[in-house]
Amino acid sequence: MKIFGFNISVHRDTLPAQAKGAAEYALSAGLWPDEVRAGTVLSNAYQQVVWVYRAINALAEQVSNIPFRFSTTNSEGEQLITTGPLVDFYNRPHPHINRFQYWELRVIWLMLRGECFRIPILIARSGAVAPR
């Protein structure tokens, strides 16, 4: 392809995907005997490496125990939000989990995936409740 007088071409050699053995990971090096290491594949560090699991869960437990407060700031200063839908949501985010479990799940997801989103679901004011 020629752009602005320059010949541009791209050649990529595709290599087949290869499964890495446990010995190729720094966290797992030396944790298994040589005869077992040959067939072991580290596919999920959270499930397979106890130190990764414990570090993520310790952080999630500590964050979930923080007593969060919500506020707004205007020219008069900071004003705490003590009632309303925001406070109600974070006190009981889901019928099956409490606020501590909610924050634990959010922090675990954040640590494993690097990002975490919350998409609000709007409820119609006509009395009908939208499904969650």
Side-chain angles (χ1 to χ4, degrees), residues 15-65:
L15 298 174
Q18 298 178 355
K20 292 184 178 182
E24 297 178 41
Y25 291 93
L27 288 175
S28 62
L31 295 179
W32 292 287
D34 289 335
E35 61 273 2
V36 177
R37 186 182 297 166
T40 304
V41 176
L42 183 65
S43 61
N44 185 342
Y46 182 70
Q47 290 179 341
Q48 292 176 287
V49 181
V50 69
W51 296 108
V52 173
Y53 175 85
R54 189 62 203 130
I56 291 173
N57 280 9
L59 180 63
E61 289 168 8
Q62 294 303 313
V63 169
S64 68
N65 284 316

Side-chain angles (χ1 to χ4, degrees), residues 60-89:
E61 289 168 8
Q62 294 303 313
V63 169
S64 68
N65 284 316
I66 294 172
F68 289 98
R69 69 179 197 171
F70 304 101
S71 65
T72 60
T73 306
N74 55 24
S75 60
E76 299 169 2
E78 182 181 25
Q79 307 230 338
L80 291 178
I81 300 172
T82 57
T83 60
L86 180 68
V87 175
D88 293 341
F89 172 79

Side-chain angles (χ1 to χ4, degrees), residues 82-131:
T82 57
T83 60
L86 180 68
V87 175
D88 293 341
F89 172 79
Y90 282 106
N91 281 336
R92 191 66 178 174
H94 191 271
H96 300 293
I97 63 173
N98 60 28
R99 64 184 177 152
F100 303 106
Q101 294 166 326
Y102 171 79
W103 282 108
E104 271 187 325
L105 292 172
R106 287 204 63 172
V107 171
I108 289 171
W109 189 264
L110 175 65
M111 297 302 297
L112 293 175
R113 299 293 178 208
E115 59 187 7
C116 185
F117 301 101
R118 182 171 110 40
I119 301 171
I121 299 173
L122 301 176
I123 299 175
R125 297 283 181 193
S126 64
V129 178

